[in-house]
Amino acid sequence: TETGVYFGSASGGVTTWTAKNTGLSGTDLQVNDVAIDPATQTWAEASKVIWRATDGGVQVSLDGGATWTEKNPASVSNQWSDAVAPTVADLNFTELLFADDKLFVSATWQNASSAWRSWIFYTDDFPAVRASSGATVTWTQLTTGWDD
């Protein structure tokens, strides 16, 4: 949503919504996608590992969304040779996908000529994050097979 992530729980036919945005503001509240680590989907809500793609970056929560840690790619290459290359902070992270042993995230950016650019990054480091939010996540940018 445009105001963060909410968790809904039902009891007696009434759904209660709880904000899961502690410590976040600005573009980190512009949430584009949320994905629960498949290995933690059956865990108690307060123990689930949740990833989210926002206009401010990629964040992960090890406590069901109570707190969040940034896990952004370190850099982005400009394969289109735009006059002004984007930085990671310029990207809007839009979708997350767990596939096999990798976590993928897509990102977009609009250049000065109003042309949209897209990137896909992936990591296989996400299982280490289950044990520690301080675990290093190295993102690899896919750079082949794209047409502009």
Side-chain angles (χ1 to χ4, degrees):
T1 72
E2 292 197 9
T3 57
V5 172
Y6 289 81
F7 173 77
S9 60
S11 177
V14 176
T15 301
T16 304
W17 294 94
T18 306
K20 298 291 186 172
N21 306 304
T22 302
L24 300 174
S25 61
T27 56
D28 284 336
L29 293 175
Q30 304 298 312
V31 179
N32 300 312
D33 199 12
V34 176
I36 298 172
D37 181 331
T40 70
Q41 286 186 357
T42 60
W43 296 5
E45 186 253 324
S47 300
K48 290 182 190 307
V49 177
I50 304 171
W51 290 82
R52 67 188 200 172
T54 73
D55 286 356
V58 178
Q59 294 101 29
V60 65
S61 172
L62 302 186
D63 51 18
T67 58
W68 297 92
T69 303
E70 293 281 342
K71 293 295 179 184
N72 294 332
S75 63
V76 59
S77 68
N78 184 12
Q79 62 254 37
W80 295 278
S81 302
D82 290 313
V84 177
T87 66
V88 170
D90 296 323
L91 301 180
N92 294 329
F93 292 88
T94 56
E95 294 182 61
L96 296 158
L97 172 69
F98 287 94
D100 296 323
D101 59 348
K102 299 195 180 338
L103 171 60
F104 293 85
V105 64
S106 62
T108 60
W109 172 70
Q110 192 172 22
N111 69 11
S113 301
S114 296
W116 285 97
R117 307 299 191 207
S118 298
W119 291 265
I120 295 180
F121 300 89
Y122 71 89
T123 184
D124 54 9
D125 296 332
F126 73 90
V129 175
R130 292 179 199 137
S132 170
S133 63
T136 299
V137 174
T138 302
W139 295 95
T140 301
Q141 180 180 326
L142 295 178
T143 57
T144 59
W146 287 90
D147 295 324
D148 58 321

